[in-house]
Amino acid sequence: MPPPRSFSTIVLGAGLAGSALAYHLSRLGGREILLYDEAYPSAGASGKGAGILCAQCWDPWDAQVVEETRKEYRDLSERHHLGGYLTTGGIRSVSTVSLLPLLEERRRMLEQLRVPVRWMEPAEIGGAVPGIRVTDLKGGLLTPGDAVVEPPEMNFLYAELAQRAGVELTWGWGFRGLRREGAGWCLSTLGGDFHAAEVILTAGAHTKRIAGALGLSLPLAPYRTQACRLAPERDAPLFPSYHDTELDVYVRPAPGGALVAGDGTESVESDPMRYNPGADFPFLAHVAEVFSHRLPLWAGASVRRAWAGLCVSTPDRHPLVGPLGPPEGLYVACGFNGFGVMRAGGLAARMANALRTGNWDALAPCAPSRFPRGGVAFSPRPGFTLGGEDGPPGPVR
Ligand SMILES: Cc1cc2nc3c(=O)[nH]c(=O)nc-3n(C[C@H](O)[C@H](O)[C@H](O)COP(=O)(O)OP(=O)(O)OC[C@H]3O[C@@H](n4cnc5c(N)ncnc54)[C@H](O)[C@@H]3O)c2cc1C
C-alpha cells in the first residue's frame, strides 16, 4: 500500500456536482484538491440523467441558480466544441380543464421570476411538437429558454478541466471508509489513504450512507427514476422538450435524431447498494401507451436503451448544500430531487466561493442547518407534476 497522501480538500464523488465543484475550486487556486470517485466520473445519476434544463424553479434565488448553470453549460459547450447543449424550449401541457388554473398560476409565478414564458393553444402545440395528438389538450406553457444537455459530456468536461488545472482525479479504487483523524479527515481506499482538512460529500445516492457511518443522519432519501433512448423510424427534428403533466411522461430530442423519454419519481426510498439499474416492464409499457395516445408519430420508435438511476430527495425538495459540522471540515452537496443537472454548475460555483471565503449567504436556501440534526423521516415525492415544485412535504414513512 502506498504511504498516505495529503490534500487541502477532498471532493468525494465525481458526478456532475463533485466534478463541477472541483472545477470551480481549481479556478480559485491555491489549494491541493483530490477529486475521488470509487467507480468513475459519471457512474451515478449524472451518467443517466435526461439532461433537461427547464423552468422548474421555486423562487428568484433558485431561478438565478438555474440560469447561472445554463449559462455556464452553454459557454463551456461553445468553448470546448461540445454538441450536446441545445436551446430547445420546453412545453408542459394539460388535458383537464380543472388543471388550467394550476398552469395559469405557474405562468404568473414564472413571470414574477422573470423567466420567459407564454401560453400556448393546443393548435400551436401541434405545430411545435411533431406528430403530437392535441385533440384532447386544453393548452400548455412554453418556456423558450429551456435547453437540453448530455449530462455525461458536461460531467467529463468538468472533471477534465479540473484535472488540467491541477486537481488530482482518482477513480476506480474501492472506498473503504471516511474517518475523523486529528483535526482533519482520512479517506481510506483500496489504493491507499488520503488526508485532508476538508471533505465535501458529493456521492449522490451514497451520500446518506457515508454520512451515516460518521454518525450523521442526513435528511436524504434516494429514489429510483427511469428513462429510455428511442430511435424513431425517421430521425426526429429538434423540437421543444415536452412534458405531458397528466400522463407523466417527458420526451426530448437527442443527438442523431433520437429521443429520450422518461417519467418522474418513485415515491419509495431505494437502497443504492441493491437497487435495480435496469428499466422495468411497467415503465416501458407506460411510455409505449403514452406515445400511442399522445405522440402517435413516434409510437413505432424502437427502444435503444432503457435504464433506471437513483436521484436523491429532501423533505422540502430543495438541495442540501453547505457545512455539516461539527465536526469541522465536513460539507455536503446532494439532494437535488431529480433536478441536479440543471443546478449543478451554478451551485458548484457558489459553493467553491463559500468554501474559500467562509460566507455561505449565497447558498442560504440550501443550508443543511434548516433541518434538525437528528434527522427527518419523509418519503420522496414527485416534483415533475404541476404544483410539485413547492407542494407540502411528503408523508412520513
Ligand atoms: C433517469 C434520470 C433522469 C434525470 N433527468 C434529469 C433532467 O432531465 N434534468 C436534471 O436537472 N436532472 C435530471 N436527473 C437528475 C440528475 O441526473 C442528478 O440530480 C444529478 O446527476 C446528481 O449529480 P450528483 O453529482 O449529485 O450525483 P451522481 O451523478 O450520482 O454522482 C455521485 C458519484 O459519487 C460516486 N460515489 C458513490 N459512492 C462513493 C464513495 N463511497 N466514494 C467516492 N465516490 C462515490 C458515484 O460513483 C458517482 O460517480 C435525472 C436523473 C435520472 C436518474
Side-chain angles (χ1 to χ4, degrees):
M1 194 73 82
R5 298 180 52 207
S6 290
F7 291 85
S8 312
T9 307
I10 295 173
V11 181
L12 197 90
L16 251 176
S19 301
L21 177 63
Y23 163 75
H24 280 287
L25 283 170
S26 72
R27 282 163 61 88
L28 298 178
R31 298 284 175 118
E32 304 241 291
I33 300 158
L34 173 70
L35 173 60
Y36 162 75
D37 199 290
E38 70 164 353
Y40 54 87
S42 213
S46 303
K48 299 178 167 195
I52 298 171
L53 316 175
C54 60
Q56 291 273 114
C57 323
W58 69 80
D59 71 3
W61 177 89
D62 185 44
Q64 206 180 331
V65 168
V66 170
E67 188 45 40
E68 286 163 10
T69 304
R70 265 209 293 250
K71 182 175 180 328
E72 180 156 291
Y73 293 173
R74 192 173 53 230
D75 291 352
L76 285 173
S77 298
E78 272 172 24
R79 206 172 318 138
H80 297 278
H81 311 291
L82 300 183
Y85 186 97
L86 297 168
T87 302
T88 55
I91 297 174
R92 304 176 82 190
S93 71
V94 297
S95 45
T96 308
V97 174
S98 61
L99 288 176
L100 287 173
L102 268 181
L103 209 58
E104 177 54 20
E105 198 182 299
R106 187 80 198 136
R107 186 184 66 79
R108 273 201 303 269
M109 180 190 175
L110 288 173
E111 274 178 359
Q112 276 168 14
L113 299 181
R114 299 185 191 284
V115 174
V117 58
R118 73 175 174 79
W119 176 255
M120 271 186 132
E121 292 298 333
E124 208 187 342
I125 298 175
V129 182
I132 187 171
R133 179 179 285 144
V134 296
T135 42
D136 60 331
L137 286 186
K138 298 294 177 282
L141 290 186
L142 170 71
T143 37
D146 287 9
V148 296
V149 72
E150 293 296 300
E153 195 176 74
M154 276 326 294
N155 194 153
F156 293 137
L157 179 66
Y158 275 127
E160 190 186 330
L161 293 177
Q163 203 178 13
R164 277 197 231 160
V167 170
E168 182 153 332
L169 171 63
T170 297
W171 50 271
W173 287 345
F175 173 78
R176 292 178 62 200
L178 178 68
R179 61 176 186 273
R180 189 84 175 140
E181 211 170 83
W185 297 92
C186 174
L187 163 67
S188 185
T189 79
L190 293 177
D193 286 359
F194 302 92
H195 292 173
E198 57 185 19
V199 174
I200 297 95
L201 303 180
T202 50
H206 293 264
T207 304
K208 181 180 183 176
R209 190 171 53 81
I210 296 168
L214 296 168
L216 294 170
S217 175
L218 299 191
L220 299 172
Y223 64 88
R224 198 164 160 272
T225 179
Q226 305 181 62
C228 56
R229 189 169 283 254
L230 305 169
E233 285 145 320
R234 253 181 268 148
D235 283 359
L238 202 62
F239 63 94
S241 54
Y242 171 71
H243 181 214
D244 187 311
T245 53
E246 285 151 278
L247 301 176
D248 199 22
V249 163
Y250 61 81
V251 57
R252 56 152 279 200
L259 304 168
V260 170
D263 66 356
T265 306
E266 277 184 13
S267 51
V268 287
E269 185 164 344
S270 280
D271 178 349
M273 304 302 273
R274 264 186 280 192
Y275 89 103
N276 171 13
D280 47 45
F281 181 74
F283 164 71
L284 287 171
H286 178 57
V287 171
E289 208 178 307
V290 171
F291 269 56
S292 303
H293 172 72
R294 181 64 67 216
L295 300 157
L297 180 69
W298 291 323
S302 49
V303 178
R304 283 294 153 89
R305 206 162 74 79
W307 64 90
L310 290 184
C311 297
V312 185
S313 66
T314 57
D316 59 4
R317 296 196 46 80
H318 302 173
L320 205 65
V321 182
L324 290 175
E328 293 308 306
L330 191 64
Y331 305 84
V332 68
C334 190
F336 301 110
N337 292 273
F339 295 97
V341 174
M342 58 189 250
R343 296 192 171 88
L347 289 176
R350 287 167 181 242
M351 188 176 199
N353 274 319
L355 282 164
R356 291 300 165 253
T357 60
N359 181 348
W360 290 85
D361 289 354
L363 285 162
C366 296
S369 58
R370 72 189 187 274
F371 297 111
R373 268 182 84 81
V376 186
F378 71 102
S379 292
R381 67 199 160 92
F384 218 22
T385 50
L386 267 183
E389 303 85 359
D390 273 324
V396 171
R397 257 178 286 124

